[in-house]
Amino acid sequence: MPGTNLTREEARTRAALLHVEAYDIELDLSSAREGGTFRSTTVVRFTATEPGASTFIDLVAPAVTEIVLNGRALPLENFSDSRIALPGLAAENELRVVADCAYTNTGEGLHRFVDPADGETYLYTQFEVPDARRVFANFEQPDLKAAFAFTVTAPAGWVVISNSPTPEPTGDGDTRVWTFEPTPRMSTYITALVAGPYVGVFDAYENGAQRVPLGVYCRPSLREFLDADAIFAVTKQGFDYFQDKFDFAYPFAKYDQLFVPEFNAGAMENAGAVTLRDQYVFRSKVTDASYELRAATILHELAHMWFGDLVTMEWWNDLWLNESFATFAEAVCQAEAPGSKWPHSWTTFANQMKTWAYRQDQLPSTHPIMAEINDLEDVQVNFDGITYAKGASVLKQLVAYVGQDAFFQGVRAYFKRHAWGNTRLTDLLGALEEASGRDLRTWSKAWLETAGINVLRPALEVSADGVIESFAVLQEAPALPAGARGEAVLRPHRIAIGLYELVDGDLVRTDRIELDVDGARTEVPQLTGRPRPAVLLLNDDDLSYAKVRLDAESLAVVTEHLGDFTDSLPRALCWASSWDMTRDGELATRDYLSLALSGLRRESDIGVVQSVHRQIKVALELYADPAWRETGLQRWAAAAETSLREAPAGSDHQLAWARALAASARTDGQLALLAGLLDGSETIEGLAVDTELRWTLLGRLVATGRADEAAIDAELARDNTSSGQEHAATCRAARPTAEAKAEAWASVVESDTLTNYVQEAVIAGFQQPDQRDLLAAYTEKYFASVKQVWETRSHEISQQIIGGLYPAYSVSQATLDATDAWLASADPAPALRRQVVEARAGVERALKAQAADR
């Protein structure tokens, strides 16, 4: 039985048979305030190449009340297993399906949310990968594009937004009807509907005769925090940059951005109606890194309007074409667009996105960028660091390989040639080959069709008087992790080598050499005869995708002077290299801590600072020798307190150090400081103890037993919003008692009533590294329940539980053995196996790092 799955072969067969013309979809959402189900009526017109053949249409719904094919009523029993069988097709067909579809609280399909701030109901759709079928019957695969016309009945006083411009509603009484114009041809997964008493702010993008209406929406309870002008500014910057680079006007009639509650992803590229998580509407002070991340997300989704929406992959094995291109586009736009506030975006990319890619590429589940996607279950676990970050890194390498002008020339031809259609990788590579004159088949095979990561190391000989006698770049291809498909390969790399000297205490680049690296050893004669610089940095400017190692003398200088690079990108590359060495057991955790504490003193990039804070916490909790762990944690907490007190008043660094201390405070004095900041008896000049920081402080006090449930209730009374309720759920699950853990476990695993965000909050509170003894009993319970969770919950909910409740803090051989026993006996589905194997790999890596730290 297929369940909710769809195989690639089934999709190919259906695509060969059908051409879909149009959908007319009527949704009656007048029941939204009560919840339950809503009436969905779909009329779809399509042709068939083989009259008399059979096929199926997709639908996930509690009930179907009518199926009419070409005027002929079909038995309701044709609806089974999330499909409606359609026998005896004509050359031209019209199908009508009437169903009762369900509102969800999982962030999939039509999500329903009640805002505790005003008691009002808010709806939005999330359809990627296969969840449009939860709202209307459709052929749920990306290459069966069609035009979509929505008619929506909803409560009077609501706002209703879809892909087409919003019409004036008609009717009277308690409901109104919105009748939208048909969309251009698009895939099912980028259609959208957002409905509720949202509030909007409006503007327009104008460029000569072009005028694109812009809208930004959120819930009324967030309106006071909505900085629409800043959002519009980034959006217009993206319009200017992308239209210039793509030489193709924005293809849709308007561009709305809707900040919606309980959104599972960062954002979704619905055509002309982008949905974003409403945590991007900042209700408390955040650092500039958060604004940069929001801007990157805005630009990412805008780039998708061309790459993904206008031109769409044929099947999900080319998902990377969508996500990698948009990830590359967001970074290059921020780096190059006139007036950009974040021209250092490649530093952020190197520090965050590539670190994610390197981590993912060393898991047993690593896969080629162009992954083999056999069915929907495969793609649902493939929104990972390979698809986004490695793919974007490789696109950056491709730009270095063919040249940026040729790259965008090829992209322009690609858009013009395939507008409103579906493509494969070969279509893009063909356009790039024409533009650049380069044969990309060998490049594609090495970079896109193989898995794993290369390591680049310097090999040099230096004379007694400090002159370089020889220099070479060594390339390694470490064996892929056990269980990974394929074999490791050496790849061609276009890289730069940076030469840095200490000048008045600063590390300054004095020269740069760009070259091609190919094979196991590449000689660099340009360096022969030169005085050895203080630091030799491979892959300077971050042109290629590879793990980079420093020679011993460069590492010694970097350990003392990492924060002294005058430019942020080489600092980010050295931070990434040292972190990767720690994860690989090549640098002891205690030495990484020393390096980090030295480098953070002068690190100005707040995004890098916050990333290093997170990495230090992970290193100490997972990679440190357990016998030394407490010493390291105390050293880190003391450094956080000192840095908090020394940071400039009101600065981003001050806020970042406050959060670092709140996550790691251990001593009576540190915990007393947190309590004092919370109750107002302690103050630090310039530090605003606002709503979000208050919850962070309280969370640590609860987890250490310094605050009780009454304190949680009191804080919730101050902030009885949806965010406040989520924070309260985290705090309750973090209480250091067996009863609190049992209650949290039961609410997540034994019940299915929690919303996606509240469940995520409970899991976060449950998993406290300081509470390993309390968590020990749940390893056995995890493996007893995980398969049932997979089989009975939706994808998003089960993925939260499977990854979130794995005993990651129980770093022991016993955990590995328990995992292996379950994998051997449970016969898990491939997607479930992948998630558990990835979690197991984290424990295995931690054991090796702990041994290195000893």
Side-chain angles (χ1 to χ4, degrees):
M1 299 290 282
T4 56
N5 205 3
L6 174 74
T7 69
R8 184 179 185 181
E9 284 307 310
E10 289 176 316
R12 280 174 171 163
T13 300
R14 192 161 62 173
L17 177 64
L18 304 182
H19 176 80
V20 187
E21 296 291 345
Y23 291 84
D24 290 315
I25 301 153
E26 296 183 12
L27 303 175
D28 185 351
L29 307 179
S30 56
S31 63
R33 291 192 175 105
E34 292 75 39
T37 62
F38 59 93
R39 179 56 56 95
S40 169
T41 302
T42 303
V43 176
V44 55
R45 293 178 294 281
F46 60 97
T47 61
T49 58
E50 299 177 24
S54 299
T55 190
F56 61 92
I57 196 167
D58 304 290
L59 180 68
V60 177
V64 169
T65 59
E66 185 180 344
I67 310 169
V68 179
L69 177 62
N70 299 326
R72 172 171 53 99
L74 299 182
L76 298 184
E77 291 74 19
N78 280 29
F79 174 52
S80 176
D81 218 24
S82 303
R83 298 177 175 186
I84 299 174
L86 303 176
L89 298 178
E92 296 185 0
N93 300 273
E94 182 175 283
L95 172 69
R96 173 182 166 89
V97 176
V98 182
D100 293 327
C101 294
Y103 302 102
T104 75
N105 66 355
T106 65
E108 301 152 301
L110 183 59
H111 184 87
R112 176 180 176 272
F113 170 84
V114 177
D115 190 345
D118 59 14
E120 291 283 2
T121 300
Y122 298 84
L123 308 176
Y124 65 86
T125 57
Q126 170 58 22
F127 289 160
E128 191 176 38
V129 176
D131 286 324
R133 57 187 172 162
R134 295 181 183 272
V135 175
F136 59 93
N138 67 82
F139 300 106
E140 188 86 277
Q141 58 191 76
D143 56 344
L144 288 178
K145 288 186 167 184
F148 296 83
F150 287 95
T151 301
V152 180
T153 300
W158 276 24
V159 173
V160 179
I161 302 101
S162 187
N163 307 98
S164 298
T166 300
E168 284 296 320
T170 60
D172 52 23
D174 294 336
T175 61
R176 297 290 184 273
V177 177
W178 286 259
T179 303
F180 291 86
E181 291 294 317
T183 68
R185 289 187 65 82
M186 62 178 63
S187 300
T188 55
Y189 77 94
I190 57 171
T191 60
L193 180 69
V194 179
Y198 291 90
V199 293
V201 181
F202 305 99
D203 201 341
Y205 172 74
E206 296 181 340
N207 183 359
Q210 180 189 27
R211 186 180 189 278
V212 181
L214 305 177
V216 173
Y217 294 83
C218 69
R219 289 177 282 144
S221 59
L222 291 175
R223 176 64 184 90
E224 65 177 297
F225 309 112
L226 180 65
D227 51 339
D229 288 346
I231 294 165
F232 285 134
V234 172
T235 304
K236 292 176 183 180
Q237 176 192 92
F239 266 86
D240 282 339
Y241 186 83
F242 293 145
Q243 290 193 149
D244 175 63
K245 291 297 183 183
F246 301 161
D247 192 29
F248 199 111
Y250 172 74
F252 301 103
K254 52 91 177 178
Y255 194 69
D256 290 326
Q257 296 174 89
L258 304 115
F259 293 88
V260 297
E262 299 185 327
F263 198 70
N264 285 325
M268 176 62 204
E269 66 267 21
N270 312 307
V274 169
T275 41
L276 304 96
R277 56 171 47 219
D278 64 11
Q279 288 96 328
Y280 282 136
V281 180
F282 304 121
R283 64 192 196 122
S284 293
K285 178 180 170 60
V286 296
T287 68
D288 188 62
S290 295
Y291 288 100
E292 181 184 1
L293 174 60
R294 184 179 69 180
T297 303
I298 289 170
L299 295 172
H300 181 106
E301 304 310 325
L302 181 57
H304 269 312
M305 297 300 112
W306 290 265
F307 215 110
D309 293 4
L310 174 69
V311 182
T312 313
M313 74 241 149
E314 182 178 287
W315 177 245
W316 297 104
N317 56 301
D318 280 324
L319 171 67
W320 81 274
L321 274 177
N322 277 10
E323 301 303 345
S324 299
F325 185 91
T327 304
F328 168 80
E330 76 187 46
V332 73
C333 179
Q334 285 186 304
E336 297 183 357
S340 171
K341 292 184 64 178
W342 298 281
H344 60 277
S345 60
W346 288 123
T347 297
T348 304
F349 183 86
N351 182 59
Q352 296 179 10
M353 296 301 291
K354 292 189 80 168
T355 298
W356 179 26
Y358 295 154
R359 182 175 70 249
Q360 188 79 43
D361 214 2
Q362 296 174 82
L363 290 172
S365 58
T366 188
H367 56 83
I369 294 172
M370 185 179 171
E372 189 60 36
I373 301 296
N374 296 310
D375 55 27
L376 293 179
E377 290 183 357
D378 275 354
V379 71
Q380 285 177 313
V381 294
N382 238 46
F383 287 82
D384 60 16
I386 305 294
T387 298
Y388 284 79
K390 181 179 179 180
S393 303
V394 168
L395 282 181
K396 188 180 182 186
Q397 170 74 179
L398 177 59
V399 171
Y401 185 61
V402 303
Q404 183 167 314
D405 289 345
F407 176 81
F408 279 117
Q409 182 182 340
V411 167
R412 293 180 193 118
Y414 173 81
F415 288 140
K416 290 180 172 64
R417 191 173 300 163
H418 301 288
W420 307 112
N422 295 86
T423 59
R424 302 178 182 182
L425 169 64
T426 51
D427 296 312
L428 176 62
L429 292 184
L432 294 176
E433 285 182 330
E434 292 173 15
S436 67
R438 283 185 177 265
D439 182 350
L440 297 179
R441 287 171 293 182
T442 301
W443 180 91
S444 173
K445 186 173 182 60
W447 279 105
L448 303 180
E449 300 170 39
T450 61
I453 184 170
N454 299 137
V455 182
L456 303 180
R457 299 181 189 272
L460 68 161
E461 294 182 6
V462 181
S463 67
D465 57 353
V467 174
I468 298 174
E469 296 179 335
S470 68
F471 190 98
V473 179
L474 307 183
Q475 182 182 182
E476 302 167 6
L480 299 183
R485 290 177 292 179
E487 60 183 35
V489 298
L490 299 176
R491 299 186 177 96
H493 298 265
R494 183 71 176 174
I495 71 164
I497 301 174
L499 285 67
Y500 290 84
E501 294 286 6
L502 278 166
V503 179
D504 297 328
D506 292 329
L507 275 171
V508 179
R509 186 163 74 182
T510 56
D511 203 355
R512 176 185 183 274
I513 297 169
E514 190 169 322
L515 71 157
D516 291 319
V517 169
D518 203 353
R521 183 182 180 96
T522 301
E523 299 293 338
V524 187
Q526 301 96 311
L527 287 173
T528 302
R530 294 189 179 207
R532 190 221 142 83
V535 175
L536 284 157
L537 181 58
L538 301 186
N539 199 29
D540 202 13
D541 294 327
D542 200 29
L543 299 181
S544 192
Y545 173 83
K547 298 202 297 184
V548 171
R549 296 296 182 254
L550 299 166
D551 66 275
E553 290 188 37
S554 294
L555 179 59
V557 173
V558 166
T559 298
E560 294 297 321
H561 296 280
L562 197 160
D564 297 331
F565 283 97
T566 54
D567 295 324
S568 61
L569 185 52
R571 292 200 306 269
L573 296 175
C574 290
W575 280 119
S577 179
S578 61
W579 172 236
D580 191 71
M581 290 172 68
T582 305
R583 295 184 72 250
D584 282 356
E586 296 179 29
L587 182 67
T589 294
R590 62 196 72 198
D591 294 334
Y592 175 71
L593 178 61
S594 295
L595 177 150
L597 292 178
S598 172
L600 284 170
R601 288 185 294 105
R602 288 195 62 188
E603 179 55 67
S604 58
D605 189 296
I606 189 61
V608 172
V609 168
Q610 290 179 281
S611 291
V612 174
H613 286 179
R614 292 190 292 270
Q615 289 162 358
I616 288 172
K617 196 74 166 69
V618 170
L620 292 172
E621 296 291 3
L622 294 178
Y623 302 153
D625 175 11
W628 179 82
R629 180 190 296 134
E630 184 59 32
T631 299
L633 287 167
Q634 289 185 12
R635 184 182 176 195
W636 168 236
E641 181 180 1
T642 299
S643 298
L644 167 61
R645 295 187 183 279
E646 293 178 350
S651 66
D652 281 358
H653 283 66
Q654 183 188 57
L655 178 58
W657 283 111
R659 291 189 172 278
L661 178 61
S664 56
R666 320 189 67 71
T667 66
D668 289 342
Q670 291 162 356
L671 293 167
L673 173 59
L674 301 192
L677 291 171
L678 187 62
D679 66 22
S681 61
E682 291 264 10
T683 59
I684 295 177
E685 182 184 357
L687 181 65
V689 183
D690 54 22
T691 303
E692 291 296 320
L693 185 54
R694 288 184 63 84
W695 280 114
T696 304
L697 298 169
L698 179 61
R700 184 61 181 162
L701 293 170
V702 168
T704 55
R706 304 300 179 101
D708 58 15
E709 189 161 6
I712 301 171
D713 293 340
E715 196 62 32
L716 182 59
R718 292 172 58 105
D719 181 32
N720 192 18
T721 63
S722 57
S723 295
Q725 291 182 355
E726 292 150 17
H727 287 306
T730 296
C731 287
R732 292 190 183 104
R735 290 172 294 163
T737 66
E739 293 77 14
K741 297 303 171 191
E743 178 185 318
W745 179 271
S747 70
V748 171
V749 177
E750 298 166 16
S751 171
D752 63 355
T753 61
L754 298 182
T755 69
N756 53 338
Y757 268 31
V758 174
Q759 175 179 281
E760 184 178 48
V762 172
I763 291 171
F766 179 87
Q767 290 278 43
Q768 295 291 319
D770 291 338
Q771 298 170 1
R772 287 178 174 85
D773 292 343
L774 285 172
L775 297 177
Y778 289 92
T779 297
E780 183 177 350
K781 292 181 179 181
Y782 175 88
F783 290 111
S785 59
V786 65
K787 189 173 183 180
Q788 183 181 11
V789 165
W790 169 260
E791 292 172 347
T792 59
R793 307 292 185 89
S794 73
H795 170 74
E796 289 288 348
I797 294 297
S798 65
Q799 188 164 252
Q800 273 188 9
I801 297 171
I802 292 160
L805 291 181
Y806 183 85
Y809 290 120
S810 179
V811 179
S812 66
Q813 185 61 45
T815 301
L816 297 182
D817 293 342
T819 308
D820 292 340
W822 181 83
L823 289 168
S825 63
D827 190 28
L832 171 58
R833 173 180 288 275
R834 170 177 169 165
Q835 291 178 65
V836 175
V837 165
E838 285 185 350
R840 181 197 184 279
V843 173
E844 186 175 39
R845 179 177 290 276
L847 279 173
K848 293 178 180 177
Q850 287 182 7
D853 192 48
R854 279 193 291 273

Short mmCIF file of all heavy atoms in Angstrom, two decimals, residues 414-439:
data_model
loop_
_atom_site.label_atom_id
_atom_site.label_comp_id
_atom_site.label_asym_id
_atom_site.label_seq_id
_atom_site.Cartn_x
_atom_site.Cartn_y
_atom_site.Cartn_z
N TYR A 414 19.04 30.28 -19.61
CA TYR A 414 18.25 29.20 -18.99
C TYR A 414 16.84 29.67 -18.68
O TYR A 414 15.85 28.99 -18.99
CB TYR A 414 18.99 28.76 -17.73
CG TYR A 414 18.29 27.76 -16.85
CD1 TYR A 414 18.30 26.40 -17.15
CD2 TYR A 414 17.68 28.17 -15.66
CE1 TYR A 414 17.70 25.48 -16.30
CE2 TYR A 414 17.07 27.27 -14.81
CZ TYR A 414 17.08 25.92 -15.14
OH TYR A 414 16.49 25.02 -14.30
N PHE A 415 16.71 30.87 -18.08
CA PHE A 415 15.37 31.39 -17.77
C PHE A 415 14.55 31.63 -19.02
O PHE A 415 13.37 31.29 -19.09
CB PHE A 415 15.48 32.68 -16.95
CG PHE A 415 15.93 32.48 -15.53
CD1 PHE A 415 16.81 33.37 -14.94
CD2 PHE A 415 15.47 31.42 -14.78
CE1 PHE A 415 17.23 33.21 -13.63
CE2 PHE A 415 15.89 31.23 -13.47
CZ PHE A 415 16.77 32.13 -12.89
N LYS A 416 15.16 32.23 -20.02
CA LYS A 416 14.42 32.54 -21.25
C LYS A 416 13.98 31.27 -21.97
O LYS A 416 12.89 31.19 -22.54
CB LYS A 416 15.27 33.41 -22.16
CG LYS A 416 15.48 34.84 -21.64
CD LYS A 416 16.34 35.65 -22.59
CE LYS A 416 16.38 37.13 -22.17
NZ LYS A 416 17.03 37.33 -20.86
N ARG A 417 14.83 30.27 -21.93
CA ARG A 417 14.55 29.03 -22.67
C ARG A 417 13.50 28.16 -21.99
O ARG A 417 12.74 27.46 -22.67
CB ARG A 417 15.87 28.25 -22.80
CG ARG A 417 15.85 27.08 -23.75
CD ARG A 417 17.27 26.54 -23.89
NE ARG A 417 18.20 27.56 -24.41
CZ ARG A 417 19.52 27.48 -24.34
NH1 ARG A 417 20.09 26.44 -23.75
NH2 ARG A 417 20.27 28.44 -24.85
N HIS A 418 13.43 28.24 -20.66
CA HIS A 418 12.58 27.28 -19.94
C HIS A 418 11.50 27.94 -19.09
O HIS A 418 10.92 27.29 -18.21
CB HIS A 418 13.46 26.40 -19.04
CG HIS A 418 14.50 25.61 -19.79
ND1 HIS A 418 14.19 24.54 -20.59
CD2 HIS A 418 15.84 25.77 -19.88
CE1 HIS A 418 15.28 24.06 -21.13
NE2 HIS A 418 16.31 24.78 -20.71
N ALA A 419 11.19 29.22 -19.34
CA ALA A 419 10.19 29.91 -18.53
C ALA A 419 8.88 29.13 -18.49
O ALA A 419 8.40 28.66 -19.52
CB ALA A 419 9.95 31.31 -19.10
N TRP A 420 8.35 28.98 -17.29
CA TRP A 420 7.09 28.29 -16.98
C TRP A 420 7.17 26.78 -17.20
O TRP A 420 6.15 26.10 -17.15
CB TRP A 420 5.91 28.89 -17.78
CG TRP A 420 5.81 30.36 -17.61
CD1 TRP A 420 6.04 31.31 -18.56
CD2 TRP A 420 5.51 31.09 -16.41
NE1 TRP A 420 5.89 32.58 -18.04
CE2 TRP A 420 5.56 32.47 -16.72
CE3 TRP A 420 5.19 30.70 -15.10
CZ2 TRP A 420 5.31 33.46 -15.78
CZ3 TRP A 420 4.95 31.69 -14.17
CH2 TRP A 420 5.01 33.05 -14.51
N GLY A 421 8.37 26.27 -17.42
CA GLY A 421 8.51 24.84 -17.66
C GLY A 421 9.23 24.13 -16.54
O GLY A 421 9.46 24.67 -15.46
N ASN A 422 9.60 22.88 -16.82
CA ASN A 422 10.34 22.04 -15.88
C ASN A 422 11.65 21.62 -16.51
O ASN A 422 11.73 21.43 -17.73
CB ASN A 422 9.53 20.80 -15.50
CG ASN A 422 8.26 21.13 -14.74
OD1 ASN A 422 7.23 21.41 -15.34
ND2 ASN A 422 8.34 21.11 -13.43
N THR A 423 12.68 21.46 -15.68
CA THR A 423 14.01 21.19 -16.20
C THR A 423 14.71 20.10 -15.40
O THR A 423 14.29 19.72 -14.31
CB THR A 423 14.89 22.46 -16.14
OG1 THR A 423 14.96 22.90 -14.78
CG2 THR A 423 14.32 23.55 -17.01
N ARG A 424 15.82 19.68 -15.99
CA ARG A 424 16.77 18.80 -15.32
C ARG A 424 18.12 19.52 -15.20
O ARG A 424 18.33 20.55 -15.83
CB ARG A 424 16.94 17.49 -16.10
CG ARG A 424 15.66 16.71 -16.32
CD ARG A 424 15.93 15.46 -17.13
NE ARG A 424 14.71 14.71 -17.40
CZ ARG A 424 14.69 13.55 -18.06
NH1 ARG A 424 15.82 13.03 -18.53
NH2 ARG A 424 13.53 12.92 -18.26
N LEU A 425 19.03 18.91 -14.45
CA LEU A 425 20.37 19.49 -14.29
C LEU A 425 21.03 19.76 -15.64
O LEU A 425 21.67 20.78 -15.83
CB LEU A 425 21.23 18.53 -13.47
CG LEU A 425 22.73 18.83 -13.42
CD1 LEU A 425 22.98 20.17 -12.74
CD2 LEU A 425 23.47 17.71 -12.70
N THR A 426 20.86 18.84 -16.59
CA THR A 426 21.53 18.99 -17.88
C THR A 426 21.10 20.26 -18.60
O THR A 426 21.88 20.82 -19.39
CB THR A 426 21.25 17.76 -18.77
OG1 THR A 426 19.82 17.53 -18.80
CG2 THR A 426 21.94 16.53 -18.23
N ASP A 427 19.90 20.73 -18.35
CA ASP A 427 19.43 21.96 -18.99
C ASP A 427 20.25 23.16 -18.51
O ASP A 427 20.63 24.03 -19.30
CB ASP A 427 17.95 22.19 -18.70
CG ASP A 427 17.08 21.10 -19.30
OD1 ASP A 427 17.26 20.78 -20.48
OD2 ASP A 427 16.22 20.56 -18.57
N LEU A 428 20.49 23.24 -17.21
CA LEU A 428 21.30 24.34 -16.68
C LEU A 428 22.75 24.22 -17.12
O LEU A 428 23.35 25.20 -17.58
CB LEU A 428 21.22 24.37 -15.15
CG LEU A 428 22.09 25.44 -14.48
CD1 LEU A 428 21.68 26.84 -14.91
CD2 LEU A 428 22.04 25.30 -12.96
N LEU A 429 23.32 23.03 -17.01
CA LEU A 429 24.72 22.86 -17.39
C LEU A 429 24.92 23.17 -18.87
O LEU A 429 25.94 23.75 -19.26
CB LEU A 429 25.20 21.45 -17.06
CG LEU A 429 25.30 21.10 -15.58
CD1 LEU A 429 25.87 19.70 -15.41
CD2 LEU A 429 26.15 22.11 -14.83
N GLY A 430 23.94 22.79 -19.70
CA GLY A 430 24.05 23.09 -21.13
C GLY A 430 24.12 24.58 -21.38
O GLY A 430 24.93 25.05 -22.20
N ALA A 431 23.27 25.34 -20.68
CA ALA A 431 23.29 26.79 -20.85
C ALA A 431 24.61 27.38 -20.36
O ALA A 431 25.15 28.32 -20.97
CB ALA A 431 22.11 27.41 -20.10
N LEU A 432 25.16 26.86 -19.28
CA LEU A 432 26.42 27.36 -18.76
C LEU A 432 27.59 26.98 -19.67
O LEU A 432 28.54 27.76 -19.83
CB LEU A 432 26.66 26.82 -17.34
CG LEU A 432 25.67 27.31 -16.27
CD1 LEU A 432 25.94 26.63 -14.95
CD2 LEU A 432 25.74 28.82 -16.11
N GLU A 433 27.54 25.81 -20.27
CA GLU A 433 28.59 25.42 -21.22
C GLU A 433 28.58 26.34 -22.43
O GLU A 433 29.64 26.77 -22.91
CB GLU A 433 28.37 23.97 -21.66
CG GLU A 433 28.76 22.94 -20.62
CD GLU A 433 28.57 21.52 -21.10
OE1 GLU A 433 27.68 21.29 -21.94
OE2 GLU A 433 29.31 20.63 -20.64
N GLU A 434 27.40 26.67 -22.94
CA GLU A 434 27.30 27.57 -24.09
C GLU A 434 27.89 28.94 -23.75
O GLU A 434 28.57 29.55 -24.57
CB GLU A 434 25.84 27.71 -24.51
CG GLU A 434 25.24 26.45 -25.10
CD GLU A 434 23.74 26.60 -25.34
OE1 GLU A 434 23.24 27.75 -25.31
OE2 GLU A 434 23.07 25.57 -25.53
N ALA A 435 27.60 29.42 -22.54
CA ALA A 435 28.04 30.75 -22.16
C ALA A 435 29.54 30.81 -21.87
O ALA A 435 30.20 31.81 -22.16
CB ALA A 435 27.26 31.23 -20.93
N SER A 436 30.08 29.74 -21.30
CA SER A 436 31.47 29.77 -20.84
C SER A 436 32.45 29.11 -21.81
O SER A 436 33.66 29.37 -21.74
CB SER A 436 31.58 29.06 -19.49
OG SER A 436 31.33 27.67 -19.63
N GLY A 437 31.95 28.25 -22.68
CA GLY A 437 32.84 27.50 -23.55
C GLY A 437 33.55 26.36 -22.86
O GLY A 437 34.41 25.71 -23.45
N ARG A 438 33.20 26.08 -21.61
CA ARG A 438 33.84 24.99 -20.87
C ARG A 438 32.97 23.73 -20.93
O ARG A 438 31.75 23.80 -20.91
CB ARG A 438 34.05 25.37 -19.41
CG ARG A 438 35.24 26.30 -19.16
CD ARG A 438 35.43 26.50 -17.67
NE ARG A 438 36.58 27.32 -17.33
CZ ARG A 438 37.78 26.83 -17.01
NH1 ARG A 438 37.98 25.53 -17.02
NH2 ARG A 438 38.77 27.64 -16.69
N ASP A 439 33.63 22.57 -20.97
CA ASP A 439 32.93 21.29 -20.86
C ASP A 439 32.71 21.02 -19.38
O ASP A 439 33.67 20.84 -18.62
CB ASP A 439 33.79 20.19 -21.50
CG ASP A 439 33.10 18.83 -21.46
OD1 ASP A 439 32.06 18.70 -20.78
OD2 ASP A 439 33.61 17.89 -22.09
#
